[in-house]
Amino acid sequence: MSRWPSSTDLYEWVLEHGLDAVGIAPMEPSQRADALRQWVACGYHADMAWFATRIEDRLNPARRYPDVQSWLVAAASYYTEVPPAAIWQDPRRGRLARYTWGPDYHAILRDRLGRVAERIRQLAGLTERPRVAVDTMPILERELAELAGLGFIGRNALLIHTAMGSWVHLGAIGLPWRAEPLGPARIVPEGCGLCRRCRDACPTGAIVADRIVDARRCIAWMTVECAGAIPSPYRRSTQRWLVGCDLCQECCPWNLPPRVRVGRAPWLAFDPELHAPKLTEALSWSETEFAQRYAGTVVARVGWRRWIRNTIVAASAQFNDPEIRTAVVRHSDSPDPLIREHVRWFESLGTADEPAG
């Protein structure tokens, strides 16, 4: 006989399929609507027009998903051990943010949540399985996770879980019934207290106010989302990050051992040649070699063109190193004007013509 799964069923299924935390949030309008509209009005979303054009759907998802009555929200930890200092601190190597160290998390979470959604479909006798969202629906996953009791939104605008820190990926399943909450809310009020480590650690000042990030200054946006030139005032501040940035997470007390723990089904592992490559080697890879090395990862989404652009900028910290300089200058005759522009900027470093910043 068909029936809706109980909240206990959902909790157990999510954990069985390798996720680390689960909660249920009601379908209701955003409690931060005014702040998010102001965030867009200030241009803090940079060139991410996809966010601005569907903002009203994000703020009131019932407009777009009238069949959804509540959300099953799940979190998967992507915390891994800190890389060896001799490699991670090597100034001649680049850095990739932790979430890139393995298969694309979109595929991992979609698979795990998809299996949960299929169990829901079978038990409830639905003709189609409920929608699964992993950065693929205009919803506010972090706010939903907070409403579901999975943590609190910290000063750096990331969701912070009290046992996994902000090293979490989020996914959601739209439930066509009003599911009961999984116990009392576990929100941590003022979880950051007076701590300002994340704001102080950001070299570009991207965290402009509590829980407000100006994407135009964010190294993660510059290296992943930005399609054009990396803004020149911030190039010398990227600190060798090639894809993404973990600076505001690495310093967070919630993210440090022994408080933080590894997830129940980890899928990431540090590979020094992929995740802290030597800058000279990273600059030498052809488009085919880059695609082969990062196939099936989120790095592949960045593409070779941005990879070379990012690596040139990261190499600026060592612009006097002859080998690194030679590796950069090899791209001076690139057919791509974006790459040529960054090479010219690199060559100007240390001269009277060096751009400001």
Side-chain angles (χ1 to χ4, degrees), residues 96-322:
L96 276 69
R98 196 180 300 255
Y99 78 95
T100 71
W101 298 356
D104 189 335
Y105 72 91
H106 298 88
I108 298 293
L109 266 68
R110 274 199 301 266
D111 174 66
R112 295 179 185 180
L113 287 174
R115 284 180 277 158
V116 174
E118 177 58 22
R119 292 179 73 168
I120 293 172
R121 186 198 68 78
Q122 292 178 4
L123 187 62
L126 303 175
T127 56
E128 296 182 358
R129 75 183 195 184
R131 291 185 178 89
V132 173
V134 183
D135 295 343
T136 52
M137 291 167 61
I139 59 176
L140 301 170
E141 288 96 339
R142 295 172 193 172
E143 184 173 341
L144 288 176
E146 188 176 51
L147 288 172
L150 296 186
F152 65 95
I153 296 178
R155 188 156 277 132
N156 59 359
L158 298 177
L159 181 90
I160 298 177
H161 185 279
T162 56
M164 296 181 288
S166 60
W167 307 113
V168 292
H169 287 308
L170 300 173
I173 300 176
L175 303 177
W177 76 95
R178 189 164 290 278
E180 292 296 320
L182 286 166
R186 298 184 296 276
I187 301 235
V188 180
E190 301 298 327
C192 292
L194 299 177
C195 179
R196 289 176 48 93
R197 293 186 190 181
C198 61
R199 292 189 68 173
D200 294 340
C202 181
T204 57
I207 306 173
V208 295
D210 290 352
R211 292 175 289 280
I212 299 178
V213 175
D214 182 349
R216 298 168 299 186
R217 302 185 189 185
C218 180
I219 296 171
W221 171 79
M222 294 181 203
T223 57
V224 177
E225 299 287 348
C226 177
I230 291 179
S232 57
Y234 306 117
R235 292 179 186 176
R236 298 297 300 279
S237 301
T238 58
Q239 298 194 6
R240 296 185 289 113
W241 292 100
L242 303 182
V243 179
C245 174
D246 284 335
L247 290 175
C248 71
Q249 298 194 85
E250 291 177 339
C251 64
C252 177
W254 290 100
N255 284 344
L256 303 174
R259 172 176 275 161
V260 70
R261 61 177 170 81
V262 177
R264 66 180 62 244
W267 71 94
L268 300 180
F270 178 71
D271 181 335
E273 301 313 310
L274 292 178
H275 309 134
K278 294 178 181 178
L279 294 169
T280 51
E281 293 181 5
L283 286 162
S284 72
W285 297 336
S286 68
E287 190 167 358
T288 299
E289 289 173 318
F290 169 82
Q292 291 172 342
R293 289 172 185 270
Y294 293 107
T297 75
V298 293
V299 181
R301 296 167 179 257
V302 172
W304 179 81
R305 179 174 185 257
R306 296 184 198 183
W307 172 265
I308 295 298
R309 175 201 65 183
N310 296 348
T311 309
I312 291 170
V313 171
S316 67
Q318 300 295 316
F319 71 90
N320 281 323
D321 184 301

Side-chain angles (χ1 to χ4, degrees), residues 39-62:
W39 184 75
V40 170
C42 290
Y44 291 158
H45 63 303
D47 61 356
M48 295 180 285
W50 49 265
F51 187 97
T53 55
R54 300 173 76 176
I55 188 170
E56 293 305 321
D57 286 342
R58 297 175 191 278
L59 299 180
N60 188 5

